């Protein structure tokens, strides 16, 4: 198949082989489960049937390329519902180009006219040469920080760094925490201009037994963090979840496409998590999510100018399926070039997320014209993606509920994307806490606010 051919459906997944010995083992495990004693961790079960006592976790993932523009509180509200809309247990936000100037991040000083103090300098007056020089030096410092550095500002420290908290991080954290008062920030990690924030409902934190974070740079010389990925692995009641946010090679053309595929492989292989730290991150967790500005483009197999013309024609007809049929990432997955065994929802349900004009609230779906929404310098593409996979035998435990773009987030030249999932996890027995959105699929007869847990049987 050539690079420009439309995609074809991937082959059906290979069935799990269940030997007589395996089935005997699983039956013994279920017998123990029914006695409400120790049960085995899910990675030891090849059977896809839910345990007798299980609960359903609701997860929301959002990815946003912020375009180095500080979001407003309203923008944060577009990304994630206020206080999780009282139904999400885990909220994950991956951010790219998420650093901002110090003046943009800090609130404006009060005006002397209102009697609260502040600078006496007249509004609209020209800055001095010295002020311009100081701003230029700060901009260089911010740029340097944005391509080499990391910082971790999680509530529960798991990574030690010597980097101070910056004004943009402080402002961003404050907005998110005001928006999510019932959640704890278990991961707030920055690598260069990338950020990964994971918030867990505070009442659920006692069930969080392990948190790990790692990052991989794929930028200039594979050293700088202007491109790369951040991976976090969380374990809830013996079920492990990996979240990998990425920002990889940009631009159109076969060479850049190949680099994107290589970057994804490098990120998954380089973010060593779990024990032992030897394997691709997608192989050491029960469920893995990869998301971010993956930068894959629309490719009709023509030159750049004709590609853009064909894409604009399809957009004018509202034929998003035609654009998605020529999406590089879907073709790469089907050809086994990257993210093999990963899947995603149907992106053709909404228009391409890049490259949109800033400060245009809405999309083609809201009656805007193609010229109003898209920057004519680029071919509109589905750059912002959310994909997922499960280990064999666990596919039925993970379900994607919804995938959507967020065109009302208007500060960037990307439309963010978010997706919701349900994950069936073993129930909790050893800790008494309220799990507000857990839907017990099989409650015991004496069901109450106690949620049942599994305890790992050690060899």
């Amino acid at each position: 198949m050539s690079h420009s051919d439309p995609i074809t459906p991937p082959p059906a997944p290979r069935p799990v082989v269940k030997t007589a010995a395996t089935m005997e083992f699983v039956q013994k495990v279920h017998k123990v489960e029914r006695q409400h004693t120790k049960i085995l961790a899910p990675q030891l079960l090849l059977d896809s049937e839910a345990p007798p006592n299980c609960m359903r976790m609701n997860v929301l993932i959002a990815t946003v390329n912020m375009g180095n523009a500080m979001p407003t509180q309203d923008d944060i509200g577009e990304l994630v519902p206020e206080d999780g809309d009282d139904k999400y247990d885990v909220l994950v936000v991956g951010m790219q180009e998420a650093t901002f100037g110090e003046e943009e991040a800090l609130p404006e000083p009060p005006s002397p006219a209102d009697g609260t103090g502040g600078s006496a300098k007249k509004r609209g007056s020209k800055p001095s040469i010295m002020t311009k020089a100081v701003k230029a030096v700060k901009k260089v410092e911010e740029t340097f920080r944005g391509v080499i550095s990391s910082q971790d500002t999680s509530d529960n420290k798991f990574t030690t760094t010597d980097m101070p908290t910056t004004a943009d991080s402080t402002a961003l954290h404050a907005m998110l925490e005001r928006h999510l008062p019932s959640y704890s920030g278990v991961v707030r990690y920055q690598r260069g201009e990338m950020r990964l924030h994971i918030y867990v409902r505070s009442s659920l934190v006692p069930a969080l037994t392990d948190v790990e974070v790692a990052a991989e740079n794929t930028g200039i010389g594979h050293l700088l963090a202007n491109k790369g990925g951040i991976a976090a692995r969380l374990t809830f009641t013996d079920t492990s979840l990996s979240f990998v946010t990425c920002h990889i090679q940009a631009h159109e053309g076969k060479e850049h496409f190949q680099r994107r595929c290589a970057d994804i492989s490098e990120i998954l292989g380089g973010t060593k998590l779990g024990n032992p730290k030897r394997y691709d991150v997608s192989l050491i967790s029960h469920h893995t999510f990869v998301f971010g500005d993956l930068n894959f483009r629309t490719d009709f197999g023509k030159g750049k100018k004709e590609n853009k013309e064909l894409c604009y024609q399809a957009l004018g007809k509202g034929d998003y399926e035609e654009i998605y049929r020529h999406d590089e990432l879907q073709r790469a997955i089907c050809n086994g070039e990257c993210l093999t065994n990963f899947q995603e929802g149907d992106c053709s349900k909404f228009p391409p997320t890049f490259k949109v004009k800033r400060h245009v609230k809405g999309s083609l779906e809201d009656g805007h014209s193609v010229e109003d929404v898209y920057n004519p310098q680029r071919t509109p593409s589905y750059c912002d993606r959310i994909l997922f996979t499960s280990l064999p035998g666990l596919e039925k435990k993970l379900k994607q509920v919804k995938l959507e773009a967020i065109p009302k987030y208007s500060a960037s030249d990307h439309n963010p994307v978010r997706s919701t999932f349900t994950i069936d996890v073993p129930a909790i027995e050893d800790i008494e806490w309220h799990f507000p959105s857990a839907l017990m699929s099989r409650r015991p007869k004496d069901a109450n606010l106690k949620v049942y847990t599994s305890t790992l049987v050690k060899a």
Side-chain angles (χ1 to χ4, degrees), residues 173-190:
H173 297 168
M175 283 192 290
L176 283 164
E177 288 176 357
R178 281 196 300 268
H179 196 66
L180 302 169
S182 300
Y183 291 79
S184 297
V186 298
V187 174
R188 290 198 301 255
Y189 192 91
Q190 179 183 350

Side-chain angles (χ1 to χ4, degrees), residues 312 315 357 360 363-364 366-374:
Y312 269 64
L315 284 174
K357 294 180 180 179
V360 176
S363 69
L364 302 180
D366 302 314
H368 291 284
S369 69
V370 176
E371 292 73 18
D372 287 341
V373 173
Y374 290 98

